[in-house]
């Protein structure tokens, strides 16, 4: 294990968990997933995926070759086939006579609603594609989408896909600076945004961040952006750049409702999604079309047991994250599902809002993150008890290891002790779910993602890349290519190879620690690198450290993820102040002021999600003789534990100094 490996106490508890919940015979009898799928995939993994690709995706030109791994680690799946993602998500359902089926029940935070059928969606996406084309967007271009959770967000993504332009969605919580670097790395031609969205009961502006991101900046190249398309949601005032800015409703309403999709090769880029890595610069994860659609459709259908004609599905993620891409946009729409999209926060205007929505729409499949479940646990079970949740039949979890207590609460309070829970492990890079129980097949264990899906070769290896025996622990790796795997980091093939393929040659290293229990089931233990997981969002310690040291107050900074009851991990920063500022921190008032300045600074540089929960001013940081910061020791301090083995420190008195300094202030 590396120096930064952390196994928090609640994860230790995971390893003593012995409860299991076998599927009910009734559920098993009607389940999409069947035990035989594992055998089929084991017999011929590649042919198994070819079969899924033929069954679940509609091809313009059928593929004849399945996997080409000769250019490893860049895979090519179904490469000689052609298709279109938006056609698969929308048009083919209308052609099959399902135009009247509801695709989206939209629920705005203020309570406004909108019902969108597949026929409506086809018209909207076609018009938007025509509008984008009129603004000069062509196949192969990149479009940045910076929107709240609206129907238009889905339409915008599909309009790009329809044209063969790659979308790059940037989460609305990211700052202007973060947006600017993503726009520039992707070389985007167009940005789609909104005046704002509703958040916690009030309009929250978005367009100013786009204006700032695109403003000329000393020393920086002009951006490639030609136009900004603006959705009107909150009607708040916006600054307007004539010639550049265009209202979405003007452009889209004027456009024709017919649009012929661009038929693209299976390996044509579908999207780029930026995610945090171990260095400061975010990675543009590249996904292509055919393999991605195949695996998102397959997993959505089988892991959630989707029955498109009767289920109402709801994934609470934001489209700014990969979960929103794969399990709000592509997976569900490819399968012709009816789903709920909710704009706002779970506690606006009251803490029962989510359960009220489940009751209102009769949601039957619900997919959320452990951090949300823990927040609901904290608010109390009497809140969900006020609502009728009997429509629920499958519950899912994603984003971080789910602690068994939260899993049990989820099943008992939300699932009436009856629903299967699928704990789904995957990543932005994997594109789709990789490890998960199958409902109706797997006897679920609280806290474990358990089994690689059929056709997926996930295993746990030790430091020397040897598979660990049952009962052993080590690193999670993926030993064989899979259809929805990333095809690289945008513009940086070498970084792709170094990041994922160099630790264990020939296999994909996910960056997660894992254990196998005595039954061979996989338990995920969190990141083993310098990536934190805060409320299911990936944040890089290095990126936040860079943000902190870019402030004039800070000489040096070290950031750790400390265990947190609700968010899983919380960002805790240790900073050494420059010269004169150290004195300022000696009064309560001064240190509060410094803390606020630095938190605001991080919010501006990266986004509010990256704001440190605590900032501790210290005189020294613990370093090894080679100058590497020992975050493990700082994490001990942040989690109020006895500090572990500090013998490799260059200066062994440092930890004593840090603790003496802090005991005075906290
Ligand atoms: C973590 C989110 C344990 C893991 C889809 C992974 C999980 C990172 C689980 C990817 C799970 C996600 N159990 N850990 N069920 N799901 N993770 O790219 O550390 O935002 O590497 O993708 O989240 O985060 P990302």
């Amino acid at each position: 294990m590396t120096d930064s490996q952390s196994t928090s106490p609640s994860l230790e508890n995971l390893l003593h968990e012995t409860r299991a919940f076998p599927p009910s015979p009734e559920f098993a009898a009607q389940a999409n997933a069947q035990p035989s799928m594992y055998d089929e995939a084991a017999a011929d993994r590649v042919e198994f995926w070819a079969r899924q690709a033929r069954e679940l995706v509609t091809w313009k030109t059928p593929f004849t070759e399945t996997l080409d791994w000769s250019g490893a680690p860049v895979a090519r799946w179904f490469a000689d086939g052609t298709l279109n993602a938006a056609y698969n998500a929308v048009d083919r359902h209308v052609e099959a006579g399902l135009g009247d089926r509801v695709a989206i029940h939209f629920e705005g935070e203020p309570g406004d609603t909108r019902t969108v059928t597949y026929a409506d969606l086809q018209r909207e996406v076609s018009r938007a594609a025509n509008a984008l084309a009129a603004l000069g967007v062509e196949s192969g271009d990149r479009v940045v989408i910076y929107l709240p959770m609206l129907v238009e967000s889905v339409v915008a993504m599909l309009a790009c896909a329809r044209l063969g332009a790659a979308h790059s969605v940037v989460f609305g919580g990211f700052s202007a600076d973060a947006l600017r670097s993503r726009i520039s790395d992707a070389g985007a031609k167009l940005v789609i945004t909104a005046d704002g969205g509703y958040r916690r009961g009030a309009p929250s502006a978005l367009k100013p961040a786009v204006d700032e991101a695109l403003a000329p900046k000393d020393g920086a190249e002009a951006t490639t952006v030609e136009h900004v398309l603006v959705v009107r949601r909150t009607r708040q005032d916006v600054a307007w750049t004539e010639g550049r800015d265009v209202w979405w409703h003007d452009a889209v309403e004027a456009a024709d409702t017919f649009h012929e999709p661009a038929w693209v090769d299976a390996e044509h880029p579908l999207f780029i999604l930026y995610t945090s890595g171990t260095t400061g610069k975010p990675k543009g994860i590249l996904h292509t079309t055919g393999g991605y659609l195949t695996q998102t459709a397959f997993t959505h259908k089988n892991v959630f047991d989707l029955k498109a004609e009767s289920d109402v599905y709801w994934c609470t993620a934001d489209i700014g994250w990969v979960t929103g891409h794969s399990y709000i946009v592509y997976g569900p729409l490819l399968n012709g599902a009816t789903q709920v999209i909710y704009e706002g926060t779970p506690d606006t205007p009251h803490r029962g809002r989510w359960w009220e929505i489940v009751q209102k729409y009769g949601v039957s499949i619900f997919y959320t993150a452990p951090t949300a479940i823990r927040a609901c646990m904290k608010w109390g079970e009497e809140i969900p008890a006020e609502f009728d949740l009997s429509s629920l039949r499958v519950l899912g979890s994603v984003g971080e290891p789910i602690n068994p207590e939260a899993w049990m609460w989820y099943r008992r309070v939300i699932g009436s002790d009856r629903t299967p829970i699928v704990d789904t492990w995957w990543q932005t890079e994997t594109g789709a779910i990789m490890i998960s129980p199958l409902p109706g097949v797997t006897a679920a264990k609280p806290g474990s993602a358990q089994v690689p899906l059929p056709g997926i070769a996930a295993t746990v290896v030790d430091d020397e890349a040897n598979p660990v025996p049952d009962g052993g622990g080590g690193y999670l790796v993926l030993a064989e290519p899979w259809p929805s795997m990333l095809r690289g980091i945008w513009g940086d093939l070498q970084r792709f190879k170094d990041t994922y393929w160099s630790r264990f040659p020939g296999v994909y290293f996910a960056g997660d620690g894992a254990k196998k229990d005595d039954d061979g089931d996989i338990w995920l233990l969190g990141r083993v690198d310098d990536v934190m997981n805060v409320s299911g969002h990936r944040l890089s310690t290095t990126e936040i450290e860079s943000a902190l040291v870019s402030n004039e107050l800070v000489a040096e900074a070290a950031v750790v993820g400390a265990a947190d009851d609700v968010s899983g991990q919380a960002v805790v920063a240790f900073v050494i102040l420059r010269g004169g500022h150290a004195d300022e921190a000696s009064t309560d008032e001064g240190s509060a002021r410094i803390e606020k300045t630095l938190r605001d600074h991080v919010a501006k540089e990266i986004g509010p999600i990256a704001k440190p929960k605590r900032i501790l001013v210290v005189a020294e940081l613990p370093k090894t003789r080679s100058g590497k910061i020992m975050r493990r020791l700082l994490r001990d301090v942040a989690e109020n534990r006895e500090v572990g083995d500090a013998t490799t420190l260059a200066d062994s008195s440092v930890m004593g100094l840090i603790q003496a300094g802090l005991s005075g202030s906290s």
Side-chain angles (χ1 to χ4, degrees):
M1 297 278 149
T2 66
D3 176 53
S4 48
Q5 165 78 60
S6 112
T7 306
S8 68
S10 65
L11 290 178
E12 292 290 352
N13 294 341
L14 275 181
L15 308 176
H16 307 296
E17 178 60 48
T18 51
R19 286 170 287 204
F21 295 85
S24 71
E26 301 78 45
F27 195 101
Q30 61 83 61
N32 291 344
Q34 294 300 321
S36 58
M37 283 178 168
Y38 293 106
D39 305 327
E40 285 167 40
D44 188 340
R45 201 176 49 82
V46 172
E47 183 46 35
F48 174 81
W49 285 119
R51 210 158 45 244
Q52 305 310 326
R54 284 187 207 104
E55 273 173 28
L56 300 169
V57 175
T58 304
W59 299 82
K60 182 74 172 175
T61 325
F63 59 90
T64 62
E65 60 181 71
T66 303
L67 169 65
D68 175 4
W69 192 226
S70 62
V74 181
R76 293 168 60 78
W77 283 89
F78 320 119
D80 63 345
T82 67
L83 74 171
N84 181 278
Y87 173 84
N88 270 277
V90 181
D91 303 60
R92 63 170 177 160
H93 304 310
V94 180
E95 288 170 12
L98 302 173
D100 291 340
R101 180 182 289 171
V102 174
I104 299 171
H105 290 293
F106 172 77
E107 172 98 5
E109 199 190 73
D112 57 316
T113 61
R114 187 174 162 193
T115 308
V116 182
T117 64
Y118 276 92
D120 296 333
L121 202 53
Q122 184 185 34
R123 276 189 297 272
E124 291 278 307
V125 172
S126 300
R127 283 157 108 183
N130 281 320
L132 263 56
L135 292 172
V137 177
E138 292 170 4
S139 181
D141 286 342
R142 274 84 54 208
V143 173
V144 162
I145 297 178
Y146 186 66
L147 282 172
M149 288 298 291
L150 301 173
V151 171
E152 285 83 355
S153 316
V154 177
V155 171
M157 290 166 75
L158 293 174
C160 291
R162 199 171 183 94
L163 292 167
H167 51 72
S168 183
V169 182
V170 177
F171 175 57
F174 277 118
S175 69
D177 286 350
L179 180 60
R180 183 184 177 93
S181 69
R182 287 159 174 76
I183 289 171
S184 120
D185 189 79
K189 203 181 226 180
L190 176 77
V191 176
I192 307 179
T193 188
D195 47 0
Y198 291 97
R199 242 17 251 138
R200 300 189 195 286
S204 155
L206 268 183
K207 175 123 188 322
V210 176
D211 293 332
E212 196 186 328
L214 299 181
K217 199 174 165 188
D218 285 349
E221 278 174 45
T223 70
T224 42
V225 172
E226 294 168 9
H227 289 287
V228 177
L229 202 47
V230 188
V231 175
R232 190 157 70 195
R233 169 66 180 144
T234 56
R235 298 181 176 262
Q236 59 203 124
D237 283 341
V238 289
W240 206 253
T241 303
E242 283 307 327
R244 185 195 71 183
D245 298 351
V246 180
W247 283 112
W248 168 276
H249 55 267
D250 286 343
V252 170
E253 278 160 26
D256 200 272
T257 55
F258 175 81
H259 180 270
E260 173 72 12
W263 304 106
V264 300
D265 292 344
E267 284 299 338
H268 189 80
L270 180 61
F271 66 87
I272 302 167
L273 184 60
Y274 287 85
T275 185
S276 294
T278 51
T279 64
K281 191 171 176 272
K283 301 176 284 197
I285 302 300
L286 173 66
H287 282 286
T288 59
T289 310
Y292 175 82
L293 295 181
T294 299
Q295 198 173 328
T296 51
F298 171 79
T299 50
H300 183 258
K301 179 177 169 186
N302 291 292
V303 174
F304 298 111
D305 194 48
L306 179 84
K307 308 285 193 284
E309 51 300 334
S310 52
D311 276 314
V312 178
Y313 167 84
W314 182 20
C315 166
T316 65
D318 188 284
I319 54 143
W321 309 109
V322 74
T323 306
H325 284 59
S326 302
Y327 298 107
I328 293 177
V329 181
Y330 293 106
L333 295 178
L334 247 86
N335 289 333
T338 295
Q339 70 176 317
V340 172
I341 289 184
Y342 170 56
E343 177 185 30
T345 46
D347 51 352
T348 306
H350 58 81
R351 289 175 166 180
R353 184 71 188 269
W354 274 9
W355 317 121
E356 188 178 61
I357 291 174
V358 168
Q359 171 180 289
K360 176 172 174 185
Y361 296 101
V363 172
S364 54
I365 306 173
F366 182 71
Y367 191 29
T368 194
T371 182
I373 299 165
R374 290 191 299 263
C376 293
M377 282 172 78
K378 221 165 113 177
W379 296 340
E381 60 187 81
E382 56 289 358
I383 293 174
E386 285 170 33
F387 301 91
D388 178 5
L389 306 182
S390 61
S391 55
L392 290 169
R393 59 178 206 93
V394 179
L395 302 177
S397 170
V398 62
E400 56 178 308
I402 178 166
N403 33 321
E405 313 87 271
W407 195 103
M408 291 300 296
W409 188 91
Y410 196 24
R411 180 178 156 104
R412 180 175 60 79
V413 177
I414 307 303
S416 310
D417 246 332
R418 163 181 58 79
T419 55
I421 295 183
V422 288
D423 174 4
T424 63
W425 180 90
W426 59 296
Q427 307 178 295
T428 306
E429 292 86 342
T430 68
I433 298 169
M434 302 292 281
I435 307 179
S436 171
L438 285 177
V441 176
T442 316
K445 296 178 181 174
S448 171
Q450 294 183 284
V451 254
L453 291 183
I456 297 301
T459 187
V460 181
V461 299
D462 65 16
D463 272 304
E464 275 77 52
N466 304 309
V468 303
D470 289 350
Y475 308 93
L476 184 74
V477 297
L478 302 167
E480 299 286 352
W482 61 100
S484 64
M485 70 194 293
L486 74 166
R487 301 302 198 263
I489 294 176
W490 184 251
D492 200 344
L493 183 63
Q494 194 54 46
R495 189 175 177 199
F496 170 57
K497 291 180 176 167
D498 294 346
T499 309
Y500 304 105
W501 302 93
S502 66
R503 178 71 179 80
F504 303 107
V507 299
Y508 173 92
F509 173 43
D512 280 37
K515 270 195 97 110
K516 273 189 172 178
D517 68 15
D518 294 337
D519 303 324
D521 282 332
I522 297 175
W523 297 69
L524 279 312
L525 302 177
R527 304 286 309 188
V528 295
D529 53 15
D530 293 332
V531 174
M532 291 169 290
N533 191 327
V534 179
S535 300
H537 301 152
R538 273 163 75 168
L539 295 171
S540 142
T541 53
T542 339
E543 201 180 349
I544 300 175
E545 286 164 4
S546 314
L548 285 166
V549 295
S550 74
N551 188 282
E552 55 178 19
L553 296 175
V554 179
E556 228 184 314
V559 165
V560 298
D564 185 277
D565 283 351
V566 173
S567 60
Q569 286 188 305
V571 180
V572 177
F574 294 80
V575 296
I576 303 179
L577 297 177
R578 285 192 200 210
H581 300 296
D583 291 342
E584 217 179 309
S586 59
T587 64
D588 283 354
E589 215 191 346
S591 72
R593 195 167 48 237
I594 288 173
E595 189 163 330
K596 177 167 188 323
T597 308
L598 295 181
R599 286 167 49 91
D600 291 349
H601 181 73
V602 172
K604 182 179 175 305
E605 292 284 312
I606 305 173
I609 45 166
K611 271 194 205 175
K613 184 166 181 188
R614 288 164 72 199
I615 294 181
L616 306 172
V617 176
V618 294
E620 297 283 349
L621 289 172
K623 290 185 185 159
T624 61
R625 281 173 202 95
S626 60
K628 196 173 181 305
I629 293 174
M630 292 189 70
R631 291 201 178 76
R632 172 170 62 79
L633 300 178
L634 293 174
R635 202 177 294 117
D636 289 340
V637 174
E639 293 176 351
N640 303 318
R641 257 199 311 276
E642 197 178 322
V643 172
D645 181 10
T647 48
T648 54
L649 281 180
D651 174 355
S652 57
S653 66
V654 166
M655 289 315 294
L657 277 174
I658 290 177
Q659 286 181 302
L662 293 177
S663 61
S665 65
S666 60

